Amino acid sequence: MRAYALLLVALLVLAPWAAQAQPVPRPNAPITPVAADVRNDSVPEACAEKDNVALTFSNPAIRRFRVEAVHPAYIGTLQRDRTAPDWTACDMSGDPVVPARPRREVLFTSDHYRLVGFTFPSFWRPADVPVRIGANVFSGLHMVQLFVPQGAGRYEVLVFYPPDGYWRARPLPPFPLRETAYGSSVLLGPVEVQGRPLVRLKEVAFQPDLGAFTLSFAAGGSAQLRITTLDAERQVLDVTLDGTPGDRPFAALRSMYVTAFNNDVSSVAWRAPGAAGWKEGQIMDFPGGQALGLWAGRLTPSRHNTSSPDMVFGPFGANP
């Protein structure tokens, strides 16, 4: 989990918000579905700030897929949101610590997007992945936020961590909520384990005209991540892979589950090839298997990141 990083951000900057936004619409290109092999490596955990939920997606034939961040079904019933970190039963003393000099820097601003970069006092990996925007290259960043216009201000909709390849997305807030929480993270690209699952990035480049990020991987190959839908219901990311991750997964979901009332994801639903409908169950009991699409989220409110979005993976496609 990244509660420490988000707490530092809250102290450094307040993201503006307003009730309505005017995102630039982008069409969703059709995907011819194929199945991904989904593996569940989730383990029990008592600390709510550790990512113990781990789903990985594999199939070397897959070249395109879609990831959606969707408001939970109960979002319209919320009277109180809970976003504060919960350090109960947490011992982080054994985590790696790489010191750095804190800084905040506006990387890019236009009518449609603003990128803000952060370096924290420490992180678990060195900040050695450059972020490129046109001819400008920024180094030493632990986190980058993407803001879009909303009313008279701006709203943060996407955040990524260059040192380990984690991404978080959220839709625009539905009326009357002014803001919603982040929750689960996704990994995009060749997933490997170095103490914890990660994607080693060589560079991240942002293309403002497309609303797209190009990810160059240290293991070889690249991917383009493009925001194709952004509204008060969902955010859709279309991902195109160039090159193959080999025997490694091409994507992963990272989240947390302590109990049914303290989690960022508690339930899962998936559609197997040839199945007439969806199967569903509890995230910690999910057996894995082939899936044309997968939803991971919550059916009832949690005491942790109550408004954070559900995550949907798929369709997956072999077509470029």
Side-chain angles (χ1 to χ4, degrees), residues 225-262:
L225 178 157
R226 185 177 181 183
I227 301 173
T228 54
T229 299
L230 178 59
D231 55 33
E233 176 66 25
R234 69 189 68 243
Q235 180 180 165
V236 178
L237 304 174
D238 272 4
V239 182
T240 303
L241 300 172
D242 184 4
T244 173
D247 58 353
R248 295 173 179 167
F250 61 83
L253 170 74
R254 297 282 285 150
S255 193
M256 59 75 66
Y257 178 93
V258 176
T259 63
F261 57 83
N262 189 8

PDB file of all heavy atoms in Angstrom, residues 225-262:
ATOM      1  N   LEU A 225      -0.223   3.006 -22.832  1.00  0.00           N
ATOM      2  CA  LEU A 225      -1.397   3.086 -21.972  1.00  0.00           C
ATOM      3  C   LEU A 225      -2.117   4.375 -22.326  1.00  0.00           C
ATOM      4  O   LEU A 225      -1.533   5.454 -22.259  1.00  0.00           O
ATOM      5  CB  LEU A 225      -0.952   3.084 -20.511  1.00  0.00           C
ATOM      6  CG  LEU A 225      -1.990   3.200 -19.388  1.00  0.00           C
ATOM      7  CD1 LEU A 225      -1.413   2.630 -18.106  1.00  0.00           C
ATOM      8  CD2 LEU A 225      -2.389   4.652 -19.149  1.00  0.00           C
ATOM      9  N   ARG A 226      -3.398   4.252 -22.705  1.00  0.00           N
ATOM     10  CA  ARG A 226      -4.149   5.412 -23.178  1.00  0.00           C
ATOM     11  C   ARG A 226      -5.487   5.520 -22.461  1.00  0.00           C
ATOM     12  O   ARG A 226      -6.218   4.535 -22.324  1.00  0.00           O
ATOM     13  CB  ARG A 226      -4.387   5.297 -24.687  1.00  0.00           C
ATOM     14  CG  ARG A 226      -5.056   6.514 -25.305  1.00  0.00           C
ATOM     15  CD  ARG A 226      -5.172   6.331 -26.801  1.00  0.00           C
ATOM     16  NE  ARG A 226      -5.779   7.495 -27.436  1.00  0.00           N
ATOM     17  CZ  ARG A 226      -6.063   7.582 -28.739  1.00  0.00           C
ATOM     18  NH1 ARG A 226      -5.761   6.572 -29.538  1.00  0.00           N
ATOM     19  NH2 ARG A 226      -6.625   8.658 -29.236  1.00  0.00           N
ATOM     20  N   ILE A 227      -5.789   6.710 -21.977  1.00  0.00           N
ATOM     21  CA  ILE A 227      -7.088   6.966 -21.362  1.00  0.00           C
ATOM     22  C   ILE A 227      -8.116   7.136 -22.472  1.00  0.00           C
ATOM     23  O   ILE A 227      -8.032   8.077 -23.258  1.00  0.00           O
ATOM     24  CB  ILE A 227      -7.043   8.234 -20.493  1.00  0.00           C
ATOM     25  CG1 ILE A 227      -5.988   8.102 -19.397  1.00  0.00           C
ATOM     26  CG2 ILE A 227      -8.413   8.506 -19.878  1.00  0.00           C
ATOM     27  CD1 ILE A 227      -5.763   9.376 -18.619  1.00  0.00           C
ATOM     28  N   THR A 228      -9.074   6.224 -22.549  1.00  0.00           N
ATOM     29  CA  THR A 228     -10.063   6.283 -23.617  1.00  0.00           C
ATOM     30  C   THR A 228     -11.451   6.692 -23.141  1.00  0.00           C
ATOM     31  O   THR A 228     -12.280   7.106 -23.938  1.00  0.00           O
ATOM     32  CB  THR A 228     -10.168   4.926 -24.350  1.00  0.00           C
ATOM     33  OG1 THR A 228     -10.426   3.893 -23.403  1.00  0.00           O
ATOM     34  CG2 THR A 228      -8.872   4.619 -25.084  1.00  0.00           C
ATOM     35  N   THR A 229     -11.712   6.558 -21.847  1.00  0.00           N
ATOM     36  CA  THR A 229     -12.970   7.027 -21.269  1.00  0.00           C
ATOM     37  C   THR A 229     -12.673   7.563 -19.881  1.00  0.00           C
ATOM     38  O   THR A 229     -11.942   6.939 -19.110  1.00  0.00           O
ATOM     39  CB  THR A 229     -14.012   5.899 -21.173  1.00  0.00           C
ATOM     40  OG1 THR A 229     -14.313   5.401 -22.469  1.00  0.00           O
ATOM     41  CG2 THR A 229     -15.299   6.402 -20.520  1.00  0.00           C
ATOM     42  N   LEU A 230     -13.243   8.716 -19.564  1.00  0.00           N
ATOM     43  CA  LEU A 230     -13.094   9.290 -18.233  1.00  0.00           C
ATOM     44  C   LEU A 230     -14.338  10.108 -17.927  1.00  0.00           C
ATOM     45  O   LEU A 230     -14.595  11.132 -18.555  1.00  0.00           O
ATOM     46  CB  LEU A 230     -11.845  10.170 -18.158  1.00  0.00           C
ATOM     47  CG  LEU A 230     -11.605  10.880 -16.818  1.00  0.00           C
ATOM     48  CD1 LEU A 230     -11.490   9.886 -15.674  1.00  0.00           C
ATOM     49  CD2 LEU A 230     -10.368  11.758 -16.906  1.00  0.00           C
ATOM     50  N   ASP A 231     -15.145   9.615 -16.993  1.00  0.00           N
ATOM     51  CA  ASP A 231     -16.348  10.332 -16.592  1.00  0.00           C
ATOM     52  C   ASP A 231     -16.654  10.008 -15.137  1.00  0.00           C
ATOM     53  O   ASP A 231     -15.810   9.433 -14.432  1.00  0.00           O
ATOM     54  CB  ASP A 231     -17.528   9.995 -17.516  1.00  0.00           C
ATOM     55  CG  ASP A 231     -17.813   8.502 -17.626  1.00  0.00           C
ATOM     56  OD1 ASP A 231     -17.602   7.779 -16.626  1.00  0.00           O
ATOM     57  OD2 ASP A 231     -18.253   8.050 -18.700  1.00  0.00           O
ATOM     58  N   ALA A 232     -17.827  10.371 -14.677  1.00  0.00           N
ATOM     59  CA  ALA A 232     -18.190  10.190 -13.277  1.00  0.00           C
ATOM     60  C   ALA A 232     -18.650   8.772 -12.960  1.00  0.00           C
ATOM     61  O   ALA A 232     -19.138   8.506 -11.853  1.00  0.00           O
ATOM     62  CB  ALA A 232     -19.279  11.187 -12.886  1.00  0.00           C
ATOM     63  N   GLU A 233     -18.472   7.846 -13.892  1.00  0.00           N
ATOM     64  CA  GLU A 233     -18.788   6.438 -13.671  1.00  0.00           C
ATOM     65  C   GLU A 233     -17.535   5.569 -13.703  1.00  0.00           C
ATOM     66  O   GLU A 233     -17.361   4.688 -12.879  1.00  0.00           O
ATOM     67  CB  GLU A 233     -19.787   5.942 -14.720  1.00  0.00           C
ATOM     68  CG  GLU A 233     -20.114   4.458 -14.627  1.00  0.00           C
ATOM     69  CD  GLU A 233     -20.861   4.082 -13.357  1.00  0.00           C
ATOM     70  OE1 GLU A 233     -21.542   4.957 -12.781  1.00  0.00           O
ATOM     71  OE2 GLU A 233     -20.761   2.920 -12.926  1.00  0.00           O
ATOM     72  N   ARG A 234     -16.649   5.843 -14.670  1.00  0.00           N
ATOM     73  CA  ARG A 234     -15.505   4.956 -14.859  1.00  0.00           C
ATOM     74  C   ARG A 234     -14.347   5.686 -15.520  1.00  0.00           C
ATOM     75  O   ARG A 234     -14.515   6.739 -16.142  1.00  0.00           O
ATOM     76  CB  ARG A 234     -15.909   3.749 -15.711  1.00  0.00           C
ATOM     77  CG  ARG A 234     -16.216   4.090 -17.174  1.00  0.00           C
ATOM     78  CD  ARG A 234     -16.809   2.910 -17.913  1.00  0.00           C
ATOM     79  NE  ARG A 234     -18.132   2.589 -17.422  1.00  0.00           N
ATOM     80  CZ  ARG A 234     -18.461   1.427 -16.841  1.00  0.00           C
ATOM     81  NH1 ARG A 234     -17.556   0.475 -16.708  1.00  0.00           N
ATOM     82  NH2 ARG A 234     -19.687   1.223 -16.409  1.00  0.00           N
ATOM     83  N   GLN A 235     -13.180   5.093 -15.405  1.00  0.00           N
ATOM     84  CA  GLN A 235     -12.016   5.449 -16.217  1.00  0.00           C
ATOM     85  C   GLN A 235     -11.553   4.194 -16.928  1.00  0.00           C
ATOM     86  O   GLN A 235     -11.399   3.143 -16.302  1.00  0.00           O
ATOM     87  CB  GLN A 235     -10.864   6.012 -15.374  1.00  0.00           C
ATOM     88  CG  GLN A 235      -9.653   6.371 -16.218  1.00  0.00           C
ATOM     89  CD  GLN A 235      -8.479   6.942 -15.435  1.00  0.00           C
ATOM     90  OE1 GLN A 235      -7.367   7.011 -15.941  1.00  0.00           O
ATOM     91  NE2 GLN A 235      -8.721   7.359 -14.194  1.00  0.00           N
ATOM     92  N   VAL A 236     -11.370   4.296 -18.248  1.00  0.00           N
ATOM     93  CA  VAL A 236     -10.959   3.156 -19.048  1.00  0.00           C
ATOM     94  C   VAL A 236      -9.560   3.411 -19.590  1.00  0.00           C
ATOM     95  O   VAL A 236      -9.290   4.459 -20.182  1.00  0.00           O
ATOM     96  CB  VAL A 236     -11.934   2.900 -20.217  1.00  0.00           C
ATOM     97  CG1 VAL A 236     -11.461   1.726 -21.069  1.00  0.00           C
ATOM     98  CG2 VAL A 236     -13.340   2.635 -19.687  1.00  0.00           C
ATOM     99  N   LEU A 237      -8.675   2.432 -19.393  1.00  0.00           N
ATOM    100  CA  LEU A 237      -7.321   2.482 -19.913  1.00  0.00           C
ATOM    101  C   LEU A 237      -7.166   1.377 -20.944  1.00  0.00           C
ATOM    102  O   LEU A 237      -7.373   0.191 -20.639  1.00  0.00           O
ATOM    103  CB  LEU A 237      -6.304   2.287 -18.792  1.00  0.00           C
ATOM    104  CG  LEU A 237      -6.385   3.258 -17.609  1.00  0.00           C
ATOM    105  CD1 LEU A 237      -5.406   2.832 -16.517  1.00  0.00           C
ATOM    106  CD2 LEU A 237      -6.107   4.676 -18.059  1.00  0.00           C
ATOM    107  N   ASP A 238      -6.846   1.744 -22.176  1.00  0.00           N
ATOM    108  CA  ASP A 238      -6.530   0.770 -23.211  1.00  0.00           C
ATOM    109  C   ASP A 238      -5.017   0.584 -23.259  1.00  0.00           C
ATOM    110  O   ASP A 238      -4.263   1.564 -23.344  1.00  0.00           O
ATOM    111  CB  ASP A 238      -7.039   1.248 -24.570  1.00  0.00           C
ATOM    112  CG  ASP A 238      -8.471   0.817 -24.831  1.00  0.00           C
ATOM    113  OD1 ASP A 238      -9.076   0.223 -23.919  1.00  0.00           O
ATOM    114  OD2 ASP A 238      -8.986   1.067 -25.929  1.00  0.00           O
ATOM    115  N   VAL A 239      -4.573  -0.665 -23.191  1.00  0.00           N
ATOM    116  CA  VAL A 239      -3.153  -0.975 -23.152  1.00  0.00           C
ATOM    117  C   VAL A 239      -2.792  -1.807 -24.375  1.00  0.00           C
ATOM    118  O   VAL A 239      -3.451  -2.807 -24.673  1.00  0.00           O
ATOM    119  CB  VAL A 239      -2.776  -1.745 -21.870  1.00  0.00           C
ATOM    120  CG1 VAL A 239      -1.267  -2.006 -21.825  1.00  0.00           C
ATOM    121  CG2 VAL A 239      -3.226  -0.973 -20.626  1.00  0.00           C
ATOM    122  N   THR A 240      -1.755  -1.380 -25.089  1.00  0.00           N
ATOM    123  CA  THR A 240      -1.233  -2.114 -26.241  1.00  0.00           C
ATOM    124  C   THR A 240       0.207  -2.506 -25.961  1.00  0.00           C
ATOM    125  O   THR A 240       1.030  -1.647 -25.614  1.00  0.00           O
ATOM    126  CB  THR A 240      -1.293  -1.263 -27.519  1.00  0.00           C
ATOM    127  OG1 THR A 240      -2.641  -0.839 -27.746  1.00  0.00           O
ATOM    128  CG2 THR A 240      -0.827  -2.066 -28.725  1.00  0.00           C
ATOM    129  N   LEU A 241       0.517  -3.789 -26.103  1.00  0.00           N
ATOM    130  CA  LEU A 241       1.857  -4.293 -25.836  1.00  0.00           C
ATOM    131  C   LEU A 241       2.640  -4.414 -27.136  1.00  0.00           C
ATOM    132  O   LEU A 241       2.121  -4.891 -28.140  1.00  0.00           O
ATOM    133  CB  LEU A 241       1.785  -5.668 -25.161  1.00  0.00           C
ATOM    134  CG  LEU A 241       1.063  -5.738 -23.812  1.00  0.00           C
ATOM    135  CD1 LEU A 241       0.906  -7.183 -23.383  1.00  0.00           C
ATOM    136  CD2 LEU A 241       1.816  -4.942 -22.760  1.00  0.00           C
ATOM    137  N   ASP A 242       3.897  -4.001 -27.116  1.00  0.00           N
ATOM    138  CA  ASP A 242       4.821  -4.165 -28.242  1.00  0.00           C
ATOM    139  C   ASP A 242       5.964  -5.036 -27.748  1.00  0.00           C
ATOM    140  O   ASP A 242       6.811  -4.602 -26.973  1.00  0.00           O
ATOM    141  CB  ASP A 242       5.342  -2.806 -28.710  1.00  0.00           C
ATOM    142  CG  ASP A 242       6.232  -2.934 -29.948  1.00  0.00           C
ATOM    143  OD1 ASP A 242       6.369  -4.053 -30.475  1.00  0.00           O
ATOM    144  OD2 ASP A 242       6.798  -1.908 -30.371  1.00  0.00           O
ATOM    145  N   GLY A 243       5.979  -6.279 -28.185  1.00  0.00           N
ATOM    146  CA  GLY A 243       6.920  -7.245 -27.636  1.00  0.00           C
ATOM    147  C   GLY A 243       6.192  -8.161 -26.679  1.00  0.00           C
ATOM    148  O   GLY A 243       5.035  -7.938 -26.310  1.00  0.00           O
ATOM    149  N   THR A 244       6.829  -9.211 -26.259  1.00  0.00           N
ATOM    150  CA  THR A 244       6.187 -10.206 -25.415  1.00  0.00           C
ATOM    151  C   THR A 244       6.875 -10.283 -24.074  1.00  0.00           C
ATOM    152  O   THR A 244       8.103 -10.157 -23.982  1.00  0.00           O
ATOM    153  CB  THR A 244       6.205 -11.597 -26.084  1.00  0.00           C
ATOM    154  OG1 THR A 244       5.708 -12.570 -25.167  1.00  0.00           O
ATOM    155  CG2 THR A 244       7.620 -11.981 -26.496  1.00  0.00           C
ATOM    156  N   PRO A 245       6.134 -10.480 -22.991  1.00  0.00           N
ATOM    157  CA  PRO A 245       6.767 -10.654 -21.685  1.00  0.00           C
ATOM    158  C   PRO A 245       7.360 -12.037 -21.486  1.00  0.00           C
ATOM    159  O   PRO A 245       7.865 -12.349 -20.410  1.00  0.00           O
ATOM    160  CB  PRO A 245       5.604 -10.413 -20.715  1.00  0.00           C
ATOM    161  CG  PRO A 245       4.391 -10.828 -21.475  1.00  0.00           C
ATOM    162  CD  PRO A 245       4.680 -10.454 -22.911  1.00  0.00           C
ATOM    163  N   GLY A 246       7.304 -12.888 -22.518  1.00  0.00           N
ATOM    164  CA  GLY A 246       7.819 -14.249 -22.395  1.00  0.00           C
ATOM    165  C   GLY A 246       6.970 -15.066 -21.451  1.00  0.00           C
ATOM    166  O   GLY A 246       5.750 -15.110 -21.567  1.00  0.00           O
ATOM    167  N   ASP A 247       7.617 -15.695 -20.477  1.00  0.00           N
ATOM    168  CA  ASP A 247       6.859 -16.516 -19.535  1.00  0.00           C
ATOM    169  C   ASP A 247       6.383 -15.716 -18.339  1.00  0.00           C
ATOM    170  O   ASP A 247       5.847 -16.273 -17.388  1.00  0.00           O
ATOM    171  CB  ASP A 247       7.700 -17.706 -19.075  1.00  0.00           C
ATOM    172  CG  ASP A 247       9.011 -17.265 -18.407  1.00  0.00           C
ATOM    173  OD1 ASP A 247       9.311 -16.054 -18.420  1.00  0.00           O
ATOM    174  OD2 ASP A 247       9.728 -18.147 -17.892  1.00  0.00           O
ATOM    175  N   ARG A 248       6.544 -14.400 -18.368  1.00  0.00           N
ATOM    176  CA  ARG A 248       6.093 -13.561 -17.266  1.00  0.00           C
ATOM    177  C   ARG A 248       4.669 -13.079 -17.520  1.00  0.00           C
ATOM    178  O   ARG A 248       4.243 -12.931 -18.665  1.00  0.00           O
ATOM    179  CB  ARG A 248       7.016 -12.352 -17.099  1.00  0.00           C
ATOM    180  CG  ARG A 248       8.432 -12.704 -16.685  1.00  0.00           C
ATOM    181  CD  ARG A 248       9.317 -11.480 -16.711  1.00  0.00           C
ATOM    182  NE  ARG A 248      10.671 -11.799 -16.286  1.00  0.00           N
ATOM    183  CZ  ARG A 248      11.712 -11.000 -16.446  1.00  0.00           C
ATOM    184  NH1 ARG A 248      11.545  -9.810 -17.021  1.00  0.00           N
ATOM    185  NH2 ARG A 248      12.913 -11.362 -16.033  1.00  0.00           N
ATOM    186  N   PRO A 249       3.916 -12.780 -16.462  1.00  0.00           N
ATOM    187  CA  PRO A 249       2.604 -12.156 -16.643  1.00  0.00           C
ATOM    188  C   PRO A 249       2.733 -10.794 -17.310  1.00  0.00           C
ATOM    189  O   PRO A 249       3.760 -10.113 -17.156  1.00  0.00           O
ATOM    190  CB  PRO A 249       2.081 -12.021 -15.211  1.00  0.00           C
ATOM    191  CG  PRO A 249       2.855 -13.021 -14.404  1.00  0.00           C
ATOM    192  CD  PRO A 249       4.212 -13.088 -15.045  1.00  0.00           C
ATOM    193  N   PHE A 250       1.685 -10.379 -18.031  1.00  0.00           N
ATOM    194  CA  PHE A 250       1.688  -9.077 -18.687  1.00  0.00           C
ATOM    195  C   PHE A 250       0.962  -8.020 -17.856  1.00  0.00           C
ATOM    196  O   PHE A 250       1.005  -6.830 -18.189  1.00  0.00           O
ATOM    197  CB  PHE A 250       1.057  -9.153 -20.077  1.00  0.00           C
ATOM    198  CG  PHE A 250      -0.385  -9.584 -20.079  1.00  0.00           C
ATOM    199  CD1 PHE A 250      -1.416  -8.688 -19.845  1.00  0.00           C
ATOM    200  CD2 PHE A 250      -0.718 -10.911 -20.330  1.00  0.00           C
ATOM    201  CE1 PHE A 250      -2.742  -9.085 -19.840  1.00  0.00           C
ATOM    202  CE2 PHE A 250      -2.045 -11.329 -20.333  1.00  0.00           C
ATOM    203  CZ  PHE A 250      -3.065 -10.407 -20.089  1.00  0.00           C
ATOM    204  N   ALA A 251       0.306  -8.420 -16.768  1.00  0.00           N
ATOM    205  CA  ALA A 251      -0.411  -7.477 -15.907  1.00  0.00           C
ATOM    206  C   ALA A 251      -0.676  -8.142 -14.568  1.00  0.00           C
ATOM    207  O   ALA A 251      -0.626  -9.379 -14.438  1.00  0.00           O
ATOM    208  CB  ALA A 251      -1.729  -7.032 -16.538  1.00  0.00           C
ATOM    209  N   ALA A 252      -0.961  -7.316 -13.564  1.00  0.00           N
ATOM    210  CA  ALA A 252      -1.287  -7.837 -12.238  1.00  0.00           C
ATOM    211  C   ALA A 252      -2.168  -6.842 -11.497  1.00  0.00           C
ATOM    212  O   ALA A 252      -2.109  -5.631 -11.740  1.00  0.00           O
ATOM    213  CB  ALA A 252      -0.021  -8.117 -11.427  1.00  0.00           C
ATOM    214  N   LEU A 253      -2.981  -7.377 -10.601  1.00  0.00           N
ATOM    215  CA  LEU A 253      -3.742  -6.574  -9.645  1.00  0.00           C
ATOM    216  C   LEU A 253      -3.103  -6.743  -8.280  1.00  0.00           C
ATOM    217  O   LEU A 253      -2.822  -7.867  -7.846  1.00  0.00           O
ATOM    218  CB  LEU A 253      -5.197  -7.042  -9.572  1.00  0.00           C
ATOM    219  CG  LEU A 253      -6.031  -6.435  -8.434  1.00  0.00           C
ATOM    220  CD1 LEU A 253      -6.387  -4.985  -8.739  1.00  0.00           C
ATOM    221  CD2 LEU A 253      -7.286  -7.252  -8.160  1.00  0.00           C
ATOM    222  N   ARG A 254      -2.855  -5.612  -7.596  1.00  0.00           N
ATOM    223  CA  ARG A 254      -2.333  -5.634  -6.227  1.00  0.00           C
ATOM    224  C   ARG A 254      -3.306  -4.863  -5.336  1.00  0.00           C
ATOM    225  O   ARG A 254      -3.701  -3.737  -5.657  1.00  0.00           O
ATOM    226  CB  ARG A 254      -0.950  -4.994  -6.174  1.00  0.00           C
ATOM    227  CG  ARG A 254       0.076  -5.742  -6.998  1.00  0.00           C
ATOM    228  CD  ARG A 254       0.561  -6.985  -6.278  1.00  0.00           C
ATOM    229  NE  ARG A 254       1.470  -6.625  -5.200  1.00  0.00           N
ATOM    230  CZ  ARG A 254       1.628  -7.306  -4.072  1.00  0.00           C
ATOM    231  NH1 ARG A 254       0.885  -8.369  -3.837  1.00  0.00           N
ATOM    232  NH2 ARG A 254       2.497  -6.925  -3.165  1.00  0.00           N
ATOM    233  N   SER A 255      -3.693  -5.490  -4.235  1.00  0.00           N
ATOM    234  CA  SER A 255      -4.660  -4.851  -3.353  1.00  0.00           C
ATOM    235  C   SER A 255      -4.518  -5.445  -1.958  1.00  0.00           C
ATOM    236  O   SER A 255      -3.535  -6.144  -1.673  1.00  0.00           O
ATOM    237  CB  SER A 255      -6.074  -5.038  -3.904  1.00  0.00           C
ATOM    238  OG  SER A 255      -6.989  -4.191  -3.252  1.00  0.00           O
ATOM    239  N   MET A 256      -5.507  -5.149  -1.082  1.00  0.00           N
ATOM    240  CA  MET A 256      -5.430  -5.657   0.282  1.00  0.00           C
ATOM    241  C   MET A 256      -6.774  -6.200   0.747  1.00  0.00           C
ATOM    242  O   MET A 256      -7.828  -5.724   0.345  1.00  0.00           O
ATOM    243  CB  MET A 256      -4.934  -4.579   1.251  1.00  0.00           C
ATOM    244  CG  MET A 256      -5.766  -3.303   1.348  1.00  0.00           C
ATOM    245  SD  MET A 256      -7.332  -3.391   2.254  1.00  0.00           S
ATOM    246  CE  MET A 256      -6.810  -3.713   3.925  1.00  0.00           C
ATOM    247  N   TYR A 257      -6.675  -7.245   1.568  1.00  0.00           N
ATOM    248  CA  TYR A 257      -7.848  -7.835   2.211  1.00  0.00           C
ATOM    249  C   TYR A 257      -7.424  -8.300   3.596  1.00  0.00           C
ATOM    250  O   TYR A 257      -6.519  -9.123   3.732  1.00  0.00           O
ATOM    251  CB  TYR A 257      -8.390  -9.019   1.405  1.00  0.00           C
ATOM    252  CG  TYR A 257      -9.577  -9.695   2.076  1.00  0.00           C
ATOM    253  CD1 TYR A 257     -10.872  -9.308   1.757  1.00  0.00           C
ATOM    254  CD2 TYR A 257      -9.390 -10.697   3.025  1.00  0.00           C
ATOM    255  CE1 TYR A 257     -11.969  -9.907   2.383  1.00  0.00           C
ATOM    256  CE2 TYR A 257     -10.475 -11.291   3.651  1.00  0.00           C
ATOM    257  CZ  TYR A 257     -11.764 -10.892   3.331  1.00  0.00           C
ATOM    258  OH  TYR A 257     -12.846 -11.479   3.952  1.00  0.00           O
ATOM    259  N   VAL A 258      -8.064  -7.746   4.626  1.00  0.00           N
ATOM    260  CA  VAL A 258      -7.857  -8.199   5.999  1.00  0.00           C
ATOM    261  C   VAL A 258      -9.074  -8.974   6.466  1.00  0.00           C
ATOM    262  O   VAL A 258      -8.974 -10.114   6.922  1.00  0.00           O
ATOM    263  CB  VAL A 258      -7.558  -7.012   6.937  1.00  0.00           C
ATOM    264  CG1 VAL A 258      -7.449  -7.479   8.389  1.00  0.00           C
ATOM    265  CG2 VAL A 258      -6.267  -6.310   6.517  1.00  0.00           C
ATOM    266  N   THR A 259     -10.237  -8.345   6.346  1.00  0.00           N
ATOM    267  CA  THR A 259     -11.507  -8.978   6.689  1.00  0.00           C
ATOM    268  C   THR A 259     -12.558  -8.490   5.699  1.00  0.00           C
ATOM    269  O   THR A 259     -12.306  -7.597   4.889  1.00  0.00           O
ATOM    270  CB  THR A 259     -11.974  -8.604   8.118  1.00  0.00           C
ATOM    271  OG1 THR A 259     -12.206  -7.184   8.167  1.00  0.00           O
ATOM    272  CG2 THR A 259     -10.939  -8.992   9.158  1.00  0.00           C
ATOM    273  N   ALA A 260     -13.775  -9.033   5.818  1.00  0.00           N
ATOM    274  CA  ALA A 260     -14.867  -8.616   4.940  1.00  0.00           C
ATOM    275  C   ALA A 260     -15.249  -7.167   5.163  1.00  0.00           C
ATOM    276  O   ALA A 260     -15.869  -6.541   4.288  1.00  0.00           O
ATOM    277  CB  ALA A 260     -16.080  -9.521   5.153  1.00  0.00           C
ATOM    278  N   PHE A 261     -14.896  -6.592   6.327  1.00  0.00           N
ATOM    279  CA  PHE A 261     -15.234  -5.201   6.591  1.00  0.00           C
ATOM    280  C   PHE A 261     -14.008  -4.283   6.524  1.00  0.00           C
ATOM    281  O   PHE A 261     -14.116  -3.094   6.758  1.00  0.00           O
ATOM    282  CB  PHE A 261     -15.917  -5.062   7.960  1.00  0.00           C
ATOM    283  CG  PHE A 261     -15.106  -5.585   9.119  1.00  0.00           C
ATOM    284  CD1 PHE A 261     -14.127  -4.800   9.718  1.00  0.00           C
ATOM    285  CD2 PHE A 261     -15.325  -6.858   9.607  1.00  0.00           C
ATOM    286  CE1 PHE A 261     -13.383  -5.280  10.776  1.00  0.00           C
ATOM    287  CE2 PHE A 261     -14.572  -7.349  10.670  1.00  0.00           C
ATOM    288  CZ  PHE A 261     -13.606  -6.560  11.255  1.00  0.00           C
ATOM    289  N   ASN A 262     -12.832  -4.828   6.223  1.00  0.00           N
ATOM    290  CA  ASN A 262     -11.606  -4.036   6.149  1.00  0.00           C
ATOM    291  C   ASN A 262     -10.786  -4.520   4.961  1.00  0.00           C
ATOM    292  O   ASN A 262      -9.973  -5.441   5.076  1.00  0.00           O
ATOM    293  CB  ASN A 262     -10.817  -4.168   7.454  1.00  0.00           C
ATOM    294  CG  ASN A 262      -9.653  -3.208   7.523  1.00  0.00           C
ATOM    295  OD1 ASN A 262      -9.490  -2.329   6.679  1.00  0.00           O
ATOM    296  ND2 ASN A 262      -8.815  -3.368   8.540  1.00  0.00           N
TER     297      ASN A 262
END
